[in-house]
Each structure stands twice: as C-alpha cells, then as structure tokens.
Amino acid sequence: SSHEHKLNFKKSKEACLSYIQDALLQKQWKRAAEFLTCYVESLEKDYSREHIGPSEKIWRIGTEILWHHSQSSMKEFNCFMEQMKTLGVKRYLKVCLEHVFHLLCNGQIDEAYQNLSLAESWRFGEQTALQDKEMKLIQAYRGLLDYYSWSKQKNILLEHAEDGFSDLAVEQEMHGYFRKAAVNLKEIIKIPGIWDVFVKCYVDLLEFYGDHNEACQVLNEYAYNSKFPANPNAHVYLYQFLKRQGESKKSLVSALKILHDIVPSHELMIDFNTMLQKSKKRKKRRLGLEVIFAALDYAGWKENAKAWSCLARQVKQIVISEKHLDWIKQEWNSRKDWWPAFHFSRYLAKRNWQENKSLSYEKALVAGILLGKDCKYFKYVSHQGCKAQLKRFRMMKKFVNRHNPVYLRISG
Amino acid sequence: MEFPAALFPSFFGAGPPREEGGPSPVAGWGEHGQVLEGGPGRRQVQPAFVPRRGATGERWEAAEAAAVPVLLPSAGCWIPSPAPQDILYRSGQCRKLRTGKSGATLDFARQLGHFFVDHPEDAFGSLGRLLHKNFYLGNSKLKVTVSRNSTIRMTALVEDIDRLEARRGCPRQHLASRLRWFSHLCRDWLFEVPLGLLADCLHEELMLQWSSLLFDDSLTGGALAWLPPEDGGTPMGRLVHPGGQAMNHLYFQDVVLEELPRARGSPAQFELSGRVRQVAAARVDGQDFVGVRSDYHCGVWRVPGRTGAAPTPLQVIRTDMPASCLTVSPHLPGELSVCTQSGTVYLWSVETGLQQLRHDPQTMFFRDHSPWRWSDFTAHPRVLSCADRTGLQCLDARAPKRCHFDLFKVGEEAGCQQGERVVLPMYLGRAHPSQYLVTTQFSVYVLDERLPLVPILKWAHMMKAPPLFADLMPGNPGRSHKVLLGASRTQELLLLQYRDSFWGVSLGGSQSACQLAGTPQKLHSITGCLQHLPTQLPHRHHLLQQRLAAPAAGLAATLQEDGPHKSMLIFQLSEAGDVFCQRLTHKAAQPPAPPSRDEATTAPGSSPLFEAPANSPQGLGAAALRYRRWLRALSRACREPPQHTWPPSLSQRRLFTRRDLEGPAGPSSLQRQMRQRLRQTMQEGGCIQHWEPLVPQPPPLPQTLEPSGGPDPLSARLTAAWAGDWEQWWEERTSFSVAQRQRALRERRRRQKRAQGRRSLSASFTSSLTYQSELSELSDTGPPRLSPGRPPILSQEGSPPAASPPVRSPPTSPAPDEALLSSQSLRCRGIPKERRKTLRDYLSVWAEGPPEPPEPPGSQASQLCIPSSQSQ
C-alpha cells in the first residue's frame, strides 16, 4: 500500500542519513559523498514535515563534504551552490550568504561581491522575518566590501598625494564607493545586534569626511541604546574615538567609568587607573584604587605584573602620606577573607618567585602592607630576595617593617 | 585577558525563542555562520576573512580501532538498572492502546503484584493469620467435618491465578469469574496496607523511574575525574572513579600513561553510604580537591600533588533533598558549590561551612517543572553561576540578593529553539578565565562573562542524546582548545575544537573572536568494541553486550605531550563501573591524507584490533592482550549467569479432554525406531540434525511445489544470488506459471485433508519441514492465506512467523503432536513421570516463542524478522 511504501521510504531515507552522519563524524568524506548521491533521491518524494527539509539537508551535507573532500575544487563548489540555490526557495538567501562567506574566506572578494549584488536583487513573494534579516546581512556585507574598495582607493589617492599629483577619476570612484558603503552600513547598525566590524568601518568613513557629529552619535547609540546587548567593544570604540578627537579628560573618564561598571576586568582598566591616579581630585584617586582592586579580583589578572605594580604604587603612596588609609581599609574589608588564599599563599609565593621576580616584588609589597610582616607571601619573597642580594627587596622589607602599624589599622 | 577587538556580527533580539524546530540530524553541517576580517597583515591589498565555523583545526586520529579497558572489572556482577520492559505493560491489548498516542503504559498491576509476592507478611500478615484456618489448600476434597461450614477450598482459585499468570500476553485473556468474584469480595479488607495509599506511592515511584529512564539528570557532570601529574614529573596521574556493585565505593587509582594507560598498584578505596553520582575535581595551589556527590551526601577529599600521597577525606555534608550538583572551586582551596533539588544553592567552604546563596523552588526565566539545579564558579572567586533548565545567572556570594546578572537565557537572545533546555553548564576557566560552556539538547554554546546573554559561539551538536558530560583540554596560546561532549544512554563522544586567537602568538596575535576549528569528531564508544572482540558463546555474547552497552556515567580527558608526539587520552566510565580508554594522536599539519587510508582502517566490519600487527613479536597487540585479560576477569566475576526469564509456558492439563489424552494402543514401529535412535544418539553423546526417518518405506510426503529433493525456494534464491545469476533464476521462476502453482496448492490441500487421519510421528515433522517453503511461496504470490484445513503445528524449528498464531484456531481434530504430548502417550512411550512435565514445557515453549520485547524509549528498535534456520 502507499502508506507502507511511504514508511519504507522514510525508513531507508533515515538509515541513509544516519550513514552519512556517521561518515561525516569520522571524516570519511568519500564515503559520505557516496551515500549522499543515494540520498538525493529523497528529493523526489518529500513527505517530511520536518523543519529542515531534504533540500536543506543536501545543501548542508554537500557543503561540508566539498569543504573537506580532497578532490573538490572551488569550481565544483560554486557549481553545487548554484544548484542548491535553485533547489530551495525558502533558503535562497541563506545559501547565498553562506556561498559568499566561503568565497570571502578563500580570498575571492570580487566573486563574493557579484554574488551579493545578485542576491540583493532577488525577490520572491512575501519575505519572512528570517529572510528579512538575511537580506539585511547581505546588504551589510556588500557595504563592507564597498568600504574595503573605498579604503583601497583612498590609499592610492594618499600615495598619489604624497607624490604631488591628484587623480580625479580615482577620487570620483572613491566617493562612489563611500556612498554605496555608507548607505548599507548605516542601515544595519540601526538594528539591535553586534555590529563591531560595520560600526568601525562606518565611523572610519564618517571621520574621513569630517562628519564627527554623526560618528559620535553612531557610537553613542551603539554603546548606550538599551536594545543593544551590553557589548564592551561599543564602549571601547567610543573611548577610542573620544581619545582621537582629543576630548577632555572628564568625558574620557566618564566613558571608562561606564566600561568599568559593565566589565570591571577589562584590560583598559589599567589605563583608567593611571588616568585616575594622576588626577588631583580625591574622589577620582579613590575611584582609581577601587578600579585596580576590582580588576585584581579576577582570575585572569592574577599574574598581571602591571596591575600589581599599579596597586603597589598607589597603596605605597597612601601609606607614605598616611592619608586615606580608610580607603584601603574599606577595599580590604570585603576581600580579607579570600585574597590571602587567592593571591598570597605560600605556594604562589614560590611559583611567582620562580617565574616572575618583579611580579613577586609588587605582590609582596602589597601583601606586606595589607597583611603585615608576618604574612607568608611577604616573608617568603623578602627572604628569597634578601638571599639573592637584590637591593629593592631589602628596601621593601625595610619599608614594610617600618610601616607595620598600618597593617594593624587596616585590619582593625 | 583581553577582550577581542571585534566580534562576529549577529542580530540581537529579546524574548522567548521564536525559532520552531526540534532535533535535526544535520543542523550543524555546512555553515560558516559569519565571517570577520582578521588576518596577519592589516589592510593589505585585500582583506582576509576568517569564518566563525569551518576554519582548519588540528588533526587527531584514533590510535586504536576501539576503546580499550583500563581497569579489570571489579568482582561481583553488575546489577543493571531497570529497563523499559521492567516497568512497562507488555500485554498485546495494551500495546494497541499505546499506539494511540497515550504515552507509555506503566505496568502498575505487576509491580503491585511483586510487592504482594515479595512482602506477603507486610501485605496480608495479620489477616492471613486470622483466616488461615478457613482456607483449605489441599488437593483432596473437603471432608464433611465440623469445620465444613467455615472452610473453603482455595485450590481451584490458586490454579486460576497460576493460569492467569501463564496466560499473560494471550490475546484471549479474560478473567476467570471465580477470581473476579473473589477480588470483588475481599479487595476492601484483605490488605494490611491501605491499598489506595500504596498505589499512590507506587505510581509516583513508577513515574519517577520512567522519567529517569527517559532522561536521567542525576548523572550530570559525570562520575569520573582525572588528576593530572604535576608539571614535569613522571607520566602518572590518578583516576577517581566509583565502583562496586552499587557504585558506592570510591577509588583513587594511580595510572601510568604509556602507550596504553596502565593501572599501578592497588587503589585507595573508600566505602560510601550512597551511590556515587558525580565526581568533580579541581587543582588549587598544587593540590587536587575532589568533590563527590551522592543523592543525600556530598564529600570532599584532598589529594596532595606529589605522587603516591594518600587522599584525605576532609568533610561530608548531608542534604535533606537530593543534591543535583557539586563543583569544586578552581580558585580557592576547599571551596565548593552545592545545589539541591529544592532550588537551594550553597557555597561550601571546608573552613567556614555552608553559606546559602539562593533559595528559590521556581525556575529563573520561565516556568519549567524540572527541579534540577546547577552551579559553578566564574572568573571572580566570589561570583558563582547558578543554573536551572531555563538559563544561568551569576550571583555575588557577598551580596547574593543584590548583585547578580543574567549570563544565559533560553530565548531569542541566544537564538535558541523552542523547547530548548540547559543540560550542562561548565566553567572553561582553564582555557580562558571568562569563558563558559553551556550545552542544551540541541546546541553547544560558548559564553563570555564580559558579554552576557549573547553566545560568542554556537553550534548544533546533532547528538542523539543530550550531552550530560563535558571535559576541556585547554590548548596552549595559539592552539585550539578541545572540548569533549559525552552522552549517557547512547555513549556518544564528540570532540570539538575552538580557538580564541586566529593568528597565533608568534605573529603578535591577540585575543580574537571565538571560532570553531575543524570538524567535530566522533570518538569510539565503549559498546563499539564488541564487533572487534572474538566470537563468544551466545549467552556470553548477550552478557557482554549488555555490559558494554551500559549507559555512560562519566568522562575525563587529558593531553599528553611527549616531545614532538602529542596525544590525547580519553577515559570513559560506564554505569557498570568499567573504565575504557582511547588514545588519539596528533597529526602535524599536512595536506589532507588520501582518504582511502583512514577510511580503510575504520571501515565497519574490519577488526584490526585482534589482527597480529607485523611489528609485534608476541603476535598480538597490547590492546588485544588487554581485552583478553579483561574478558577473562569478567567471566570470572560473573560466573553465574543471571536467571533467564523464560517465556510463560502454557499448562496442557486443562487444554485436553479426557478423550484426547487417550493415546494410541501402542507405539508404532516408526516411533519405536525413533526412540531407539534417540537413545543411541544420547548414548553416543551426539546430536540429531535431521529427523529423517530411516524407515525403508516412508509415508508418502505431501508433494511440494519444488521438485522434491531440491532446496527450498529461499535457499535456491540465495544460492542463485550468491552465484550471480539471480536474474536467470527469477526468469525461470516466473515462467513457472501461476495457474500451475494454484493447481499444485489445491492438490496439496486435498492430500493434506486426506492425510489428516494419520497420526504418525513422521507426518508432524515432515509437515513442519514443508512449512517454511510453503510460507515463502505464498509470500511470493501475494498476501499469505492460511489454508483452513491445515492443522496448527508445534514447529520444531524455533518460533513460527507471526502469520499463524498457533493458539488462535483450536484444532478441529486432535493433532498428531498433541498425541505426542499427552501424558498417557508419553507414559506409554516409556518416558518417566518426572520427565514428562519437562518435555511438555519444553515443547510448549517452542510453540509459543519468546515474547516480543517492548520498544525502548525514544529509539525505534526495528524488529527484524529473521527466518529461523532449519538445523540447530
């Protein structure tokens, strides 16, 4: 009966698919390809109601095989992709996009551009939300490639300018690329998402043409629009832009303050701390101490000598001036139950001493001040340092011994 | 650690997942996802792009054809956990019900019956004592005595019950009226335990058992840990694994990493008071801390880093609700996090005790019924992640109520599918301090704490069962990190590689967006070695198969660098307590080798494991020797095979009337001959292959369609196909006209009718011989039609195909076989009384055939109809 036939067909289809899957997972591309030629039959009678239909399956499997098969060529790949595009109308844009990605990764930028232009002009019935997104991406990537062409023309023009002559045709072409790129890039960065590459390119374009207001607005929107994810890079780009524009310290600090609130472990926190330490305002120096303490809470910063030296310098300054010891006390309060085991264990003293002497110096200084001269870390490192007759370790020991009462005030 | 300068583009949306879908076997293939500009030279002539997925990865190849046992099986046989057929109803009528999409039918009555049989004292104790004078169980008639009025004879009732049990699965099953009457009369007062309450509890337990059969999340995290050797040092590490019959022993076993890892010395052993569900380990300050979770107890051990140091137990906690998670802090010594099924998360410090961080029986982002909770550490030693099936949140242990943020949500933010649920979160601190792995039943995600909610990597893993276990092998800067995913029931193992810097340290590389490198790779599962093992006796094979197919219970992996040779060792633990290991060797970057080679070595069917390698002097590889030892130990440990559950046998006693049981006057000459032959063969200790009667004048055989003496059509067809001239055979066969065949059939039926009167032994056997060929002929012509006059046959050759249930059509006249079976005829054939029942049971078992096993959950066990062979 036809029902039985359907069932059998389905069964053998599934079996074939599982063989293909097995071969793919074991990197047996040739075997997978042989099975796939049988699986193509499933296109003929498609009774399935799965969300990934046989045509998409064939596209996915075929692509994977052609990526890895030792005898496949780019020409064959392109040919396969063209066939796949006509096979499933619903997935046309997706397949186009993936085809473009593959061309881009293989350095075939021009072919990729052609494909993008072709895909952009494709229309079929009403677009679904997914297709809408895919179309936006296609336009954005075309904008990106336009940007690269623009940047190429710009470099040529700059070289020519150095040689002292101008080329009107090249300049015209460059402006043309600018317009094409700007339109598409501007579109995509309005939609919530992560568009680091597109934003960077768009801002570069705007900056070149002197439209700083627009650039600033774009970056502010990208960083502060609540519909966008909390992307640290958005704040980094804004900070870098402000720095390039020579904006005031205040606006730089406020940009970094927000980054600190989102990602206390960001690598820019060292810059932030140095900036704040230099400040004359007490409040900012206080913030600086907070920032560096918070950064050193994270496992990724454990062995960052630069960060430890920032902390050591600031703590030393405070101890010498004997003002604002309460700052240290407050920071230390929430950390005193776990920093000793996390940073200042005897095991770490040994290892830091073996691996990085200057790191162990900075850490020992901080440990000596925060935990007193009897702290294991300080004792071990200062002992080793004195044994090795290193002057600065002896100085450190003296400094800590002299200021030992500070420890009592901090911990008390 | 720097944040990548640019991330791969992606859309961001909020809200519940929009994408419909479900598991798809190919969703992870053929996609680059996105591309990003990134290459060694900035702004060269042309920008260089890298894909999110599809970049080249490292080549790792399996060194052996199968996983190899590391440890010998422990003494005492393993008790398998309940299988679907143990708790599902297996009656034929209920199977019809079940196909009607009503879900699984739990065999509630049988379990309750088990309780009554196993605990009769608890169930009927006092009433039984009260009533035992009034119940008479003897065979003889009740004498007319004083007690006559107050005593009933129960024998018939007991017989009814026995028969009921025997008729399980019989399509014409119906309750005897006497039983119905009895149960109606006394179901309210007979039981000691309130029946409603007991039934409620039992039903709840059955539902629990069934759901844990479908998906058992108590194993999440896995119960196997590898403690690597301290840097440099000898290539020796430690395996921490559970063992024993109830998996309640914890072993710390030293293992030397050679070509094949080898156990050294006897393990340190601890007996625990519950089944070990999870073993977690982390190294802090050169010491390993090992956390062990059972249902109601969690413990922590410290293992000093130097080799040979004994592990010390530090602390044990007891929980009121089953614990669902235990993870060990990689930052601070002696810190762990514990979750219980009541939705409580604790930070457990050996020094300061337990600190409750959260208590919320509800799930975080949307409502989900699962009580499973998980918790792990993050880049900040005071910030813990806590997870349920709907997502992950991070909370600060110093102010858990105020300071928290969402790390992962099953929703549009991460591009999840509808119905997707978190299966296992894992902190990837050893690869990158702020990265996190989250697996769901469909996909695997890598997250960065610094960019919450948006996965920096997503890939559909296409595994058949949700990945409950994962392990990480961090790569050096510039090399890829390796993640292993493991499933429990299907024993799947999948190796993934991902990278977070594209162009290496040598080129001034910095952090870059995460990308998946290479293709995912399937590794050997434990059960995969079965095909390579030497042929076993059938029952031994079955035992071995059951043992090797036990669900996986944990995995651990380690990288081993021995000069230029890099290899990867992957340990897999099964629920039976077996630890198997496989080695993968790294192939330096080279143009993809001709595929024919690596495909040949792993082609199914070939078993290079037990072939003598050319360079081995012993003749067999180390792996083969390992197997041999393991098999020997296994057969010693499980000497007593588990009791086979025989298919229920039908008692013949009530099936025949007295007249049926009256046998023929005496044995015929043929029967005598047969008996003689049987005796002779028994004396010689041989076996009878064919019951070809050696009589000089055999009774006329019913004529078959094929020329007599020739093979049956199936064999003929197979022989022809084997020889390659199948087409010709078909031609010949079709020319054998249909009309002719019909005539022959009709002829035969007439003869059979005529021959029915003969009650000779040979007739039953010859007709059973023709049975197969007849069936295959009929199936050639069309739907099989049963000849009405043909007597049902107790076939000598295994179970008859399902086309003719022997019980359905009662014989119109006594069949020859029944004559054989009747006790009188047995007696008059000289078979002693005590043997008669055995023989009858034996024959009735053959007649019924083994019961059809129910389908395991979730898998379509295709039932192959294998024609039984004619000879044993």
Side-chain angles (χ1 to χ4, degrees), chain B residues 460-797:
Chain B
H461 57 62
M462 307 179 283
M463 286 167 81
K464 292 187 192 89
L468 279 181
F469 320 118
D471 201 3
L472 169 78
M473 285 167 278
N476 295 329
R479 288 185 58 195
S480 60
H481 307 299
K482 289 104 199 156
V483 172
L484 260 181
L485 300 179
S488 172
R489 196 168 47 77
T490 52
Q491 295 189 350
E492 286 163 286
L493 273 183
L494 202 65
L495 174 69
L496 308 176
Q497 300 178 40
Y498 80 97
R499 240 188 321 228
D500 46 20
S501 53
F502 318 130
W503 53 93
V505 175
S506 56
L507 286 155
S510 58
Q511 284 294 308
S512 58
C514 262
Q515 52 168 176
L516 211 62
T519 51
Q521 200 172 336
K522 189 174 132 186
L523 307 183
H524 300 309
S525 60
I526 294 179
T527 178
C529 71
L530 194 66
Q531 57 174 327
H532 300 290
L533 295 180
T535 320
Q536 306 276 330
L537 289 172
H539 78 280
R540 195 76 73 66
H541 180 87
H542 174 75
L543 270 182
L544 199 60
Q545 195 175 26
Q546 199 184 18
R547 173 96 178 193
L548 292 174
L555 72 89
T558 180
L559 281 177
Q560 195 196 359
E561 296 202 17
D562 181 17
H565 303 290
K566 295 190 189 80
S567 53
M568 193 187 282
L569 281 167
I570 290 136
F571 298 94
Q572 200 178 10
L573 171 78
S574 79
E575 262 190 9
D578 295 321
V579 180
F580 277 59
C581 170
Q582 53 193 307
R583 172 185 291 269
L584 270 70
T585 49
H586 181 237
K587 300 280 175 234
Q590 55 185 359
S596 57
R597 199 182 55 89
D598 60 353
E599 286 183 28
T601 51
T602 46
S606 75
S607 107
L609 207 64
F610 275 81
E611 279 164 21
N615 54 353
S616 164
Q618 292 96 1
L620 274 175
L625 286 174
R626 190 67 75 84
Y627 266 116
R628 214 157 259 189
R629 223 174 304 149
W630 186 82
L631 284 173
R632 217 178 303 139
L634 181 70
S635 66
R636 222 175 318 152
C638 308
R639 178 137 299 167
E640 276 172 86
Q643 280 210 324
H644 285 285
T645 45
W646 285 105
S649 53
L650 262 177
S651 164
Q652 311 270 332
R653 227 174 111 187
R654 307 247 161 184
L655 284 181
F656 308 110
T657 56
R658 194 168 291 273
R659 208 180 312 141
D660 292 337
L661 294 175
E662 278 165 13
S668 70
S669 65
L670 181 63
Q671 283 167 330
R672 262 200 305 275
Q673 254 182 14
M674 277 300 170
R675 214 185 303 146
Q676 193 188 343
R677 196 171 154 214
L678 199 65
R679 257 198 218 112
Q680 191 189 340
T681 324
M682 276 163 80
Q683 269 169 2
E684 286 164 3
C687 63
I688 296 171
Q689 296 261 334
H690 297 280
W691 279 102
E692 280 140 11
L694 302 169
V695 271
Q697 66 279 48
L701 280 168
Q703 198 196 336
T704 52
L705 284 175
E706 295 302 314
S708 58
D712 65 310
L714 181 67
S715 321
R717 194 165 75 190
L718 284 175
T719 318
W722 194 253
D725 50 0
W726 183 80
E727 270 175 50
Q728 200 196 335
W729 176 87
W730 183 246
E731 292 275 304
E732 280 171 18
R733 192 167 164 74
T734 41
S735 62
F736 200 74
S737 77
V738 180
Q740 203 178 345
R741 270 201 273 174
Q742 278 174 348
R743 204 172 342 115
L745 262 174
R746 228 171 282 135
E747 173 76 5
R748 185 158 53 138
R749 248 174 247 150
R750 217 179 52 236
R751 274 162 203 250
Q752 272 177 352
K753 266 185 196 159
R754 229 183 294 139
Q756 241 162 38
R758 281 194 293 269
R759 291 184 190 170
S760 66
L761 184 64
S762 64
S764 78
F765 287 121
T766 45
S767 63
S768 79
L769 268 171
T770 55
Y771 180 69
Q772 278 295 325
S773 62
E774 182 189 303
L775 197 89
S776 53
E777 274 165 31
L778 284 165
S779 65
D780 278 343
T781 51
R785 288 176 297 139
L786 287 171
S787 48
R790 193 170 52 83
I793 292 149
L794 287 178
S795 167
Q796 186 75 13
E797 1 154 26

Side-chain angles (χ1 to χ4, degrees), chain A residues 22 60 64 98 141 194 237, chain B residues 5 31-32 34 53 522:
Chain A
D22 216 49
R60 283 181 181 276
E64 191 74 28
E98 284 295 329
Y141 273 106
I194 290 182
Y237 297 156
Chain B
E31 222 181 294
H32 280 308
Q34 292 288 339
R53 194 187 99 72
K522 189 174 132 186

Side-chain angles (χ1 to χ4, degrees), chain B residues 44-98:
Chain B
Q44 292 175 317
V45 196
Q46 271 191 337
F49 287 89
V50 287
R52 193 170 212 170
R53 194 187 99 72
T56 49
E58 292 168 16
R59 253 172 76 95
W60 291 89
E61 276 176 16
E64 303 280 352
V68 177
V70 183
L71 309 169
L72 291 181
S74 51
C77 217
W78 161 64
I79 306 157
S81 35
Q85 59 263 36
D86 294 335
I87 57 173
L88 280 183
Y89 203 78
R90 52 179 178 185
S91 148
Q93 279 168 333
C94 267
R95 189 165 304 129
K96 266 180 227 148
L97 274 177
R98 197 150 27 107

